[in-house]
Amino acid sequence: MLFKPDLNETAKAASGGVARVAGGARRRVVSIFITLLILGGLGYLGWTSFQQKQQAANRARPDLAVPVLAATPRIQDVPVYLEGVGSVRALNNVLVRAQVDGKLIAVNFTEGQDVKKGDILGEIDPVIYKAQLDQAVAKKAQDEAQLANMRLDLTRYQQLAATNAGSKQQADTQRAVVAQQEALVNADQAVIENAQATLGYTKIIAPLSGRVGLRQVDQGNIIHASDATGLVVITQLQPIAVQFSLPQQQIVRVNAASAKGTLSVDVFGNDGTTVADTGKLTGIDNQVDPTTGTLKLKAEFPNANFQLWPGQFVNVRLKVETLPQALVIPTSAAQRGPAGTFSYVIGDDDTVTAKPIAVIQQNETDAVIGSGLTPSDRVVTTGFANLADGSKVIVGKDEQTPSADLAPRKRKSSRDAQGAPKDGEKRGKKGESGQSDGDQKGQTGPAPAQGSDKSGSGTKAQP
């Protein structure tokens, strides 16, 4: 007996086979995609590593000359300075006070005015002190009149005693009375001089030449000799002093240089590089400050233009000696490495050699060389980035040194220079082949203006 297969079962079997085939295909596609992704990543990493090695190899090629700048050592006398920090102080500073009590009836100066020694700065009411002087003068006149009479009596007594008409004892007694009266007159004279001095103190005199500060007492006030504030402060600004400190290790050096003569001292302005004034060393402290380990020194400056002001902090340098005929190179030529200080010396074949050097002293611009170089050597001053011992170099000139653009501006394109519109229009940058970026991106950008390509080799973009 024949049986017909069930159509539903047949369809189910067929659909199951198709699903298995489709699932296997998807798995193969995913596997292939993952495999390609892994291979692409590995290829990218290998390509990047190769490029880095290639660039390193290109940089390390010994046959490429390195552009540098060079200088020749100079022979010159070099001053040796010791630098320190100090403060400006007035050479003399006086607080002017009243020496007697009284009412201040006049102020004869303006705040900030320059005064001379002996100028009258203020006046105190002198009425009381004038009366005391007059009283002392009158007292002396009275005593002098009595003295004159006593001297006449002494003369009479001496004449009587000489003729035995009078007692010698009376004459001697009168002589003692005259001596007492003479002493009293001398005391009166002392009282007069004291009263004159006190009267003179009613005029407040400038004890030195300088500049007055701000007034501490106004006219009309009662001032006393015991007032702590005083009338005004006078500061001597010309000349002026600077007190500065040096490390205690420099004591011997400073004393040895000071024994040979007066030492020159320079003080710098606010910029730290310009010498504001030059003076001389006037004093060295007799002990080291134990809290800081420094020695205090004092210098005097003429301060002709009032460039120094009391209380100002300044940088100071003290000249202790001069190195005669020293070998000097630019500071940039003195390089420092693990083995010490060295310089790149350029040979006759434009090959550099690293030579060890001994630097005695240096500043921002020059370095004094003790050994390692000769006046005929050429040393590298700029271009150390790609330089190594044995490298070939190309020596440039000083004017070839690139300078920084302190105020960079946006550069104008060739289209802007010819007056082409800039706003509302996009333009592609020209490539090496003469085509613009719009051409390389499927020529979808707008066509450039006519005449924008002077060479005529660029292809215009199609709309």
Side-chain angles (χ1 to χ4, degrees), residues 363-414:
N363 54 24
E364 293 81 2
T365 57
D366 296 327
V368 180
I369 304 302
S371 62
L373 296 177
T374 62
S376 60
D377 290 334
R378 288 187 304 166
V379 293
V380 178
T381 59
T382 305
F384 302 100
N386 299 323
L387 202 59
D389 193 6
S391 299
K392 286 281 187 178
V393 295
I394 299 177
V395 181
K397 298 180 179 180
D398 292 339
E399 58 267 17
Q400 296 176 349
T401 305
S403 59
D405 191 359
L406 300 180
R409 298 181 178 88
K410 184 178 181 181
R411 296 182 179 178
K412 295 183 179 180
S413 63
S414 60

Side-chain angles (χ1 to χ4, degrees), residues 276-290:
D277 204 354
T278 301
K280 60 182 180 179
L281 186 68
T282 57
I284 304 174
D285 198 4
N286 57 2
Q287 60 183 352
V288 175
D289 188 353

Side-chain angles (χ1 to χ4, degrees), residues 188-225:
D188 292 338
Q189 179 61 36
V191 172
I192 291 175
E193 293 176 356
N194 181 61
Q196 288 176 343
T198 304
L199 181 61
Y201 291 155
T202 60
K203 296 183 182 298
I204 304 175
I205 307 299
L208 54 84
S209 299
R211 178 165 296 186
V212 297
L214 301 180
R215 185 176 65 250
Q216 305 296 326
V217 180
D218 296 330
Q219 180 178 342
N221 286 284
I222 302 298
I223 60 176
H224 304 277

Side-chain angles (χ1 to χ4, degrees), residues 71-75 326-329 343 345-346 355-357 369-379:
T72 302
R74 310 185 307 273
I75 301 295
L327 187 67
V328 182
I329 64 173
S343 288
V345 179
I346 303 175
K355 288 187 176 181
I357 60 175
I369 304 302
S371 62
L373 296 177
T374 62
S376 60
D377 290 334
R378 288 187 304 166
V379 293

Side-chain angles (χ1 to χ4, degrees), residues 284-367:
I284 304 174
D285 198 4
N286 57 2
Q287 60 183 352
V288 175
D289 188 353
T291 58
T292 60
T294 57
L295 179 68
K296 295 180 181 179
L297 300 95
K298 187 177 181 180
E300 185 177 317
F301 297 86
N303 198 26
N305 300 322
F306 296 102
Q307 61 270 25
L308 301 178
W309 210 253
Q312 177 183 0
F313 287 95
V314 291
N315 293 324
V316 181
R317 67 179 183 184
L318 173 65
K319 182 180 177 182
V320 292
E321 63 176 319
T322 300
L323 300 177
Q325 298 299 303
L327 187 67
V328 182
I329 64 173
T331 301
S332 59
Q335 299 293 306
R336 285 169 174 78
T341 308
F342 67 94
S343 288
Y344 286 110
V345 179
I346 303 175
D348 297 334
D349 56 350
D350 290 339
T351 302
V352 297
T353 304
K355 288 187 176 181
I357 60 175
V359 178
I360 299 177
Q361 74 165 16
Q362 71 175 30
N363 54 24
E364 293 81 2
T365 57
D366 296 327

Side-chain angles (χ1 to χ4, degrees), residues 227-252:
D227 290 341
T229 56
L231 176 62
V232 73
V233 176
I234 299 180
T235 301
Q236 185 177 359
L237 301 178
Q238 291 179 336
I240 202 167
V242 173
Q243 182 175 310
F244 61 99
S245 300
L246 291 177
Q248 62 180 5
Q249 292 80 4
Q250 304 295 344
I251 295 177
V252 177

Side-chain angles (χ1 to χ4, degrees), residues 85-105:
V85 178
S87 61
V88 181
R89 297 189 176 184
L91 195 63
N92 291 296
N93 196 2
V94 176
L95 174 60
V96 180
R97 299 183 182 181
Q99 294 179 272
V100 295
D101 299 343
K103 180 181 179 180
L104 185 64
I105 61 175

